[in-house]
Amino acid sequence: MHINLKAHKINGRQAASIALLDSIIWLWFHQINYTSIFSESVLAPNIAVLPSLALSTALAVGIMHARWDVIPKSLRLATALGTPLVLLGCVLLSQVGNQSDTLATALSLALGVACSLAALLRLETLAKCDDFATLAVALSGSLMLFYVLDLGLLLVPREVYDALVVAAPLTLAVGSSHPAPPAARSGPLPKRMRRAVPVLVPFVMGACTGFVVALGMAAMAVSPLELFTRPSPLFLLSQLLFICLTIVTVFGLDLRKATYFAGTSLCWSLGMATGNVANETLLTSAQHLIANEAASFICLSVIVIFFAFSGIWINSLEKTIVTSTESSFERIAKDAGLTKRETEVVQLLLEGRSLRIIQETLFISEGTARTHTKRIYAKLGVHSKQELIDFFKGKLTSEQAEK
C-alpha cells in the first residue's frame, strides 16, 4: 500500500496505557453529556445547550482556521486542570438552595467548551498509536475497560462516585509532553484531495453517529443490571468506528491532526444537537421507543457498512493519494520541458531503478537509457540522482504549499 498506514506490529504497553486513558475520559464524557446519576443530580438544571454548542463551534472553527497539527501543551494542561474546577463549582452550586442563574450559565458554558476540548484531546491521545494494529488493540481495550470502570463507579459510595467523575479529566494531562507525531505533509491539503470521498466520509459519519446517539436517548447505567443496556453497545461501537475511521484518515493522508479532529468533532456535536432537537419533538413514550429502536438499527447498519466497504474505502484512499502525487509529478516534469519518455525514465530513477532495470522496463537499449538520463540532468540542472530527488521533492512541497 502507498498510504501511510502501518500494521506490522503491536506495541502492547502503548496500547494498554492509551486504552486505560481513553476509557477514563470516554466514561467521563458519557457521565457528563448523557443521562447519568451525576448529570441528573448536578448538571440537568444548569445546562445551556445552544450557547455551549455555539462556543464549542467557535472553538473548533478557530482551531481549523489556525491549522494546528497538535493541541498545544498549555491548552491540554489548562483543560485537564480547569475542567475539574468547573465540575466542582457545579457540584457546590447544586447543593446551594438559592442558585445564581448567572453563575449557573457561566459554569454551563465553561463545561461545554471543556467537553469539546476533551473530545479533541481524546482523539489526539489515540493518535499517538504508532501503527494501525496498536490503534485497533487500544480501541478494543478501551471498550472493555469502559464497562469495567462503569461497574466500579456503580459499586462505590455516592460521594466517591462524584469525586471520581470530577477528577477524571485530570487524566488528560498524562503524556502532555509527548503529543501525537506531527504530520509529514508540509503545506495545506491540495484542493482535489479535500473533496475526495475518504476525506469527507468521517465528517458525514460523525454527524450521522452523533444524531443517532442523541436520538437513541443514550443514558448511563444506574445499576449493575443495566450495565450492558445503558448505553447500548451498538452506540459505543458506532462511536469507536467513527474514531477509528477518523484516525486512519489522518494517518493515511498525513493530515494536520488537531485541525482534522476539530472538524470531525464539530460534525459530531452538530449531529448531537440535531438529534436532541428531534428527541424533544417526540412527545409520547411510544414515539421515544420507536426512535430508540430506529437509532439502534441505524447504528447496526453503520457498523455493517463500515466493515463491508472498508476495503473499498482504503483503496479509494490509496488511489486519491497516488493520483494526486502522480498528477503533480507529471505537471512538474512537463513544466521542466521533459518529454513523455524522459518523464517515464525520471519516475523509474526516483524509484531507485538502475539503468539496466530502466532498459528492461521500457524496452530500450542501455545507451538510450543513458542518453535520456543525461538530457534529463541537463534540462533540470542537476548532476546526481540525489540532486534529482531533491529537485522533485522541493517542487512538490512548494506546489502543496501554494494550494
Side-chain angles (χ1 to χ4, degrees):
M1 295 180 69
H2 298 284
I3 58 177
N4 182 26
L5 288 177
K6 299 182 293 180
H8 60 276
K9 64 175 183 177
I10 296 177
N11 187 330
R13 177 177 296 181
Q14 184 189 34
S17 61
I18 289 181
L20 179 60
L21 294 174
D22 180 63
S23 61
I24 293 174
I25 200 62
W26 191 16
L27 181 62
W28 172 84
F29 197 80
H30 277 70
Q31 291 285 340
I32 299 301
N33 286 275
Y34 308 132
T35 303
S36 67
I37 300 174
F38 184 87
S39 62
E40 281 190 329
S41 60
V42 175
L43 302 177
N46 304 328
I47 290 295
V49 177
L50 292 180
S52 295
L53 177 62
L55 282 177
S56 300
T57 301
L59 175 68
V61 172
I63 291 174
M64 288 188 287
H65 181 73
R67 297 179 178 178
W68 283 356
D69 196 357
V70 295
I71 301 293
K73 179 181 178 180
S74 57
L75 187 56
R76 175 178 281 273
L77 292 175
T79 303
L81 299 175
T83 304
L85 294 178
V86 173
L87 283 172
L88 185 59
C90 292
V91 172
L92 295 176
L93 189 64
S94 67
Q95 297 177 354
V96 176
N98 297 321
Q99 295 187 4
S100 169
D101 292 337
T102 302
L103 180 58
T105 301
L107 289 172
S108 176
L109 294 175
L111 185 58
V113 174
C115 286
S116 295
L117 281 170
L120 286 176
L121 293 172
R122 180 193 175 196
L123 283 168
E124 191 183 48
T125 298
L126 286 164
K128 292 180 182 179
C129 294
D130 57 2
D131 61 272
F132 184 70
T134 301
L135 172 64
V137 173
L139 287 172
S140 301
S142 175
L143 179 59
M144 291 186 290
L145 287 170
F146 178 93
Y147 285 110
V148 173
L149 294 174
D150 194 9
L151 176 62
L153 280 180
L154 295 174
L155 297 179
V156 299
R158 178 57 196 270
E159 293 77 10
V160 178
Y161 170 97
D162 287 344
L164 291 175
V165 173
V166 169
L170 293 173
T171 58
L172 292 171
V174 178
S176 58
S177 300
H178 301 87
R185 178 184 299 278
S186 56
L189 196 68
K191 292 181 179 179
R192 181 181 300 178
M193 293 181 67
R194 293 177 202 170
R195 297 188 293 267
V197 172
V199 178
L200 299 178
V201 164
F203 289 92
V204 176
M205 187 173 180
C208 293
T209 306
F211 177 80
V212 166
V213 170
L215 193 64
M217 299 168 292
M220 297 301 299
V222 296
S223 69
L225 293 176
E226 297 179 339
L227 194 62
F228 294 102
T229 58
R230 299 180 61 183
S232 167
L234 288 176
F235 294 156
L236 300 179
L237 284 173
S238 66
Q239 291 175 65
L240 281 186
L241 290 177
F242 159 63
I243 290 171
C244 181
L245 192 63
T246 301
I247 295 175
V248 166
T249 303
V250 163
F251 281 157
L253 290 172
D254 271 330
L255 304 178
R256 291 189 178 98
K257 294 179 177 62
T259 298
Y260 194 73
F261 292 159
T264 53
S265 295
L266 175 59
C267 288
W268 172 277
S269 299
L270 293 176
M272 283 286 297
T274 306
N276 284 328
V277 171
N279 222 350
E280 291 176 359
T281 62
L282 302 175
L283 303 179
T284 67
S285 58
Q287 288 175 319
H288 278 297
L289 181 61
I290 293 173
N292 193 31
E293 295 298 327
S296 298
F297 174 77
I298 295 173
C299 275
L300 180 60
S301 301
V302 167
I303 294 169
V304 172
I305 292 171
F306 179 91
F307 284 109
F309 293 97
S310 59
I312 297 175
W313 178 81
I314 289 293
N315 290 334
S316 175
L317 177 60
E318 179 178 359
K319 184 178 179 181
T320 299
I321 295 175
V322 174
T323 301
S324 176
T325 303
E326 286 181 349
S327 60
S328 298
F329 169 79
E330 291 170 356
R331 186 163 49 253
I332 292 170
K334 184 178 180 180
D335 292 342
L338 300 184
T339 64
K340 184 178 180 181
R341 177 64 79 183
E342 288 170 348
T343 301
E344 293 174 346
V345 173
V346 167
Q347 198 162 11
L348 292 171
L349 287 172
L350 294 177
E351 293 176 1
R353 308 299 184 185
S354 65
L355 288 178
R356 186 176 63 83
I357 298 298
I358 293 174
Q359 169 195 347
E360 295 174 355
T361 303
L362 300 179
F363 301 103
I364 58 177
S365 67
E366 187 174 349
T368 302
R370 196 179 301 277
T371 300
H372 281 313
T373 303
K374 289 181 180 179
R375 288 176 179 173
I376 291 167
Y377 281 16
K379 289 181 178 180
L380 301 182
V382 299
H383 304 88
S384 65
K385 186 179 290 187
Q386 184 58 53
E387 289 184 8
L388 180 68
I389 294 172
D390 292 340
F391 174 86
F392 277 94
K393 185 177 180 180
K395 290 289 186 180
L396 287 170
T397 301
S398 299
E399 187 172 288
Q400 289 177 355
E402 290 175 0
K403 290 180 180 180

